[in-house]
C-alpha cells in the first residue's frame, strides 16, 4: 500500500516492521491508515479500530512470484491481501484473488482446521499483504471488529478446495 509513497516521511498513524521478511521477495512496508480504510476487509472499521489493526500487524510488499506462505510455512499467521493479486495453489491448480474476492485472506487456525491438501500462496503481481498473528486476530474478534463476514466468505471459499 505504500506504492507511490516511496521517499515520503512516515506519517503518524502508520507502522513499519523491523523484523526479517518472512520469505524471499518480500520486504517491510508501511501501513497507512487512510489507505487501509479503503481495503474492503477494513472499510467498516472506525479510525480507532484501524489504528489497533495497524499496531497489531505487519505489512509486507511482495514481488511478483514471491511465495508469501504455504501450508507448512506461515500458515499459522493470518494473511490478508491489501493491494495487488495473489494465487492460492493446490497441486497443479490454483485460484487467483484480489483484495475484494472471498480468497482475500489465507492461513490462521480456522483455515488449518479444514485440513486442506498442501497450499501455496504466491504473489502474481506487486502486492501488499498484512500479516496478523492468530492471537491478535482473536483479540480483534473479541473487541468486535467487523471481520466476521469476510472471514466467513473466505471459509466458504476454502471449503470448496476441500471437495
Amino acid at each position: 500500500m505504500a506504492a507511490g509513497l516511496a521517499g515520503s516521511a512516515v506519517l503518524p498513524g502508520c507502522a513499519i516492521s523491523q523484523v526479517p521478511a518472512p520469505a524471499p521477495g518480500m520486504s517491510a512496508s508501511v501501513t497507512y491508515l487512510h489507505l487501509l480504510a479503503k481495503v474492503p476487509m477494513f472499510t467498516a472499521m472506525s479510525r480507532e479500530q484501524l489504528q489497533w489493526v495497524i499496531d497489531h500487524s505487519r505489512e509486507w510488499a511482495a514481488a511478483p512470484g514471491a511465495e508469501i506462505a504455504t501450508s507448512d510455512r506461515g500458515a499459522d499467521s493470518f494473511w490478508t491481501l491489501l493491494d495487488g493479486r495473489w494465487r492460492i495453489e493446490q497441486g497443479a491448480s490454483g485460484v487467483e484473488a484480489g483484495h475484494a474476492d472471498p480468497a482475500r485472506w489465507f492461513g490462521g487456525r480456522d483455515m488449518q482446521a479444514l485440513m486442506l491438501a498442501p497450499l501455496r500462496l504466491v504473489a502474481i503481481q506487486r502486492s501488499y499483504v498484512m500479516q496478523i498473528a492468530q492471537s491478535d486476530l482473536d483479540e480483534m474478534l473479541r473487541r468486535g471488529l467487523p471481520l466476521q463476514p469476510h472471514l466467513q466468505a473466505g471459509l466458504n471459499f476454502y471449503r470448496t478446495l476441500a471437495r
Side-chain angles (χ1 to χ4, degrees):
M1 289 191 21
L5 299 173
S8 296
V10 175
L11 302 174
C14 61
I16 190 159
S17 174
Q18 298 298 319
V19 300
M26 295 179 70
S27 58
S29 184
V30 176
T31 303
Y32 292 95
L33 192 142
H34 70 282
L35 294 176
L36 186 62
K38 296 177 183 179
V39 175
M41 186 168 242
F42 303 103
T43 56
M45 292 187 186
S46 69
R47 290 183 59 82
E48 293 77 21
Q49 290 171 325
L50 291 168
Q51 187 60 57
W52 199 94
V53 169
I54 290 169
D55 293 342
H56 295 87
S57 64
R58 291 189 178 110
E59 182 174 326
W60 303 99
E67 183 180 82
I68 299 164
T70 69
S71 298
D72 297 326
R73 184 193 50 76
D76 54 338
S77 289
F78 178 84
W79 297 88
T80 188
L81 183 63
L82 301 175
D83 191 31
R85 293 191 67 75
W86 64 22
R87 180 176 170 85
I88 299 163
E89 298 177 350
Q90 187 178 46
S93 65
V95 177
E96 292 184 11
H99 70 273
D101 296 322
R104 66 180 154 260
W105 64 263
F106 180 92
R109 179 182 49 242
D110 291 339
M111 191 183 98
Q112 288 179 323
L114 295 175
M115 299 179 62
L116 301 169
L119 298 173
R120 186 172 173 253
L121 183 63
V122 179
I124 56 173
Q125 68 182 58
R126 178 88 171 158
S127 298
Y128 295 88
V129 299
M130 180 175 276
Q131 181 182 21
I132 302 170
Q134 181 65 56
S135 59
D136 288 324
L137 179 63
D138 292 342
E139 182 62 17
M140 288 176 194
L141 295 171
R142 191 192 70 70
R143 289 171 173 257
L145 274 65
L147 292 170
Q148 202 57 47
H150 304 283
L151 298 176
Q152 190 59 54
L155 281 174
N156 293 343
F157 163 76
Y158 285 111
R159 284 186 184 105
T160 67
L161 297 182
R163 295 181 190 159

